[in-house]
Amino acid sequence: MSEPLACPTCALRYDLDERFCAKCGMPLVYVGSDPVETPADSAHGRARKIDPRYTEGELVRVAGGRNQAEAEFIQGMLLEEGVPSILRRSAGFDVPDFLAAGPRDVMVPEAGAQVAKDVLLEAEMAPTETSDLRPQTSGARIAAFVLGGGALAAFVAWLLLQGSA
Ligand SMILES: [Zn+2]
């Protein structure tokens, strides 16, 4: 072993003539029977955060994001409390997949729904009767987009009819 020393924080390896980590200044330790822990990747950290108690049951909707970014933000907040969640494109907004805009439903297992609602209530992000229908937000613009697409399809159909006549 040419680099028997390691930083306990960064897991960087050093020669015997080094005493401290050049990156963070921690005293180096010998790489012995205790394996130096490598920093966990984000997927692993994510999986470790999930509380198994909250993984049971059917998926239920606990919140809505007005777009992918907002939904992912909510997802992150729930994960902090150990609640796993998935995002679904909200029903009634049948827009192409490439469109990052458009509302998302945040779905959690039934067992985690109450915790999720408490978390969202605390963050004042729980849906209320009125805030779910925000006509001035992107939802309305997506609806306009869909309607526009329908009109375009009708126009193309009309053109084809003209051509075949
Ligand atoms: Zn270090």
Side-chain angles (χ1 to χ4, degrees):
M1 198 183 295
S2 60
E3 295 175 321
L5 294 175
C7 170
T9 307
C10 322
L12 289 173
R13 304 291 283 264
Y14 292 93
D15 287 326
L16 268 178
D17 50 359
E18 299 292 333
R19 288 291 175 271
F20 299 95
C21 175
K23 192 179 167 197
C24 70
M26 282 291 285
L28 301 177
V29 296
Y30 281 99
V31 182
S33 50
D34 286 346
V36 175
E37 263 189 64
T38 52
D41 58 52
S42 64
H44 182 234
R46 200 180 166 89
R48 207 171 40 180
K49 273 187 187 174
I50 291 173
D51 191 323
R53 287 176 300 163
Y54 302 147
T55 60
E56 304 289 322
E58 298 280 302
L59 288 171
V60 294
R61 181 184 185 277
V62 291
R66 277 168 295 176
N67 49 53
Q68 179 76 21
E70 191 175 290
E72 281 177 2
F73 177 76
I74 294 171
Q75 198 170 33
M77 269 191 339
L78 295 179
L79 188 62
E80 286 302 313
E81 300 302 318
V83 182
S85 59
I86 66 157
L87 305 181
R88 269 187 197 163
R89 202 175 287 284
S90 298
F93 291 93
D94 191 14
V95 292
D97 262 358
F98 61 80
L99 209 64
R104 300 291 196 281
D105 290 333
V106 181
M107 317 286 293
V108 307
E110 229 169 354
Q114 192 51 52
V115 178
K117 282 173 185 167
D118 289 347
V119 171
L120 295 169
L121 203 66
E122 234 166 79
E124 295 184 340
M125 291 195 68
T128 63
E129 291 307 314
T130 49
S131 71
D132 242 9
L133 297 165
R134 282 175 273 200
Q136 299 309 316
T137 60
S138 56
R141 288 205 296 277
I142 297 306
F145 175 88
V146 172
L147 290 175
L152 181 66
F155 179 67
V156 170
W158 178 81
L159 278 181
L160 290 173
L161 281 174
Q162 295 303 303
S164 63

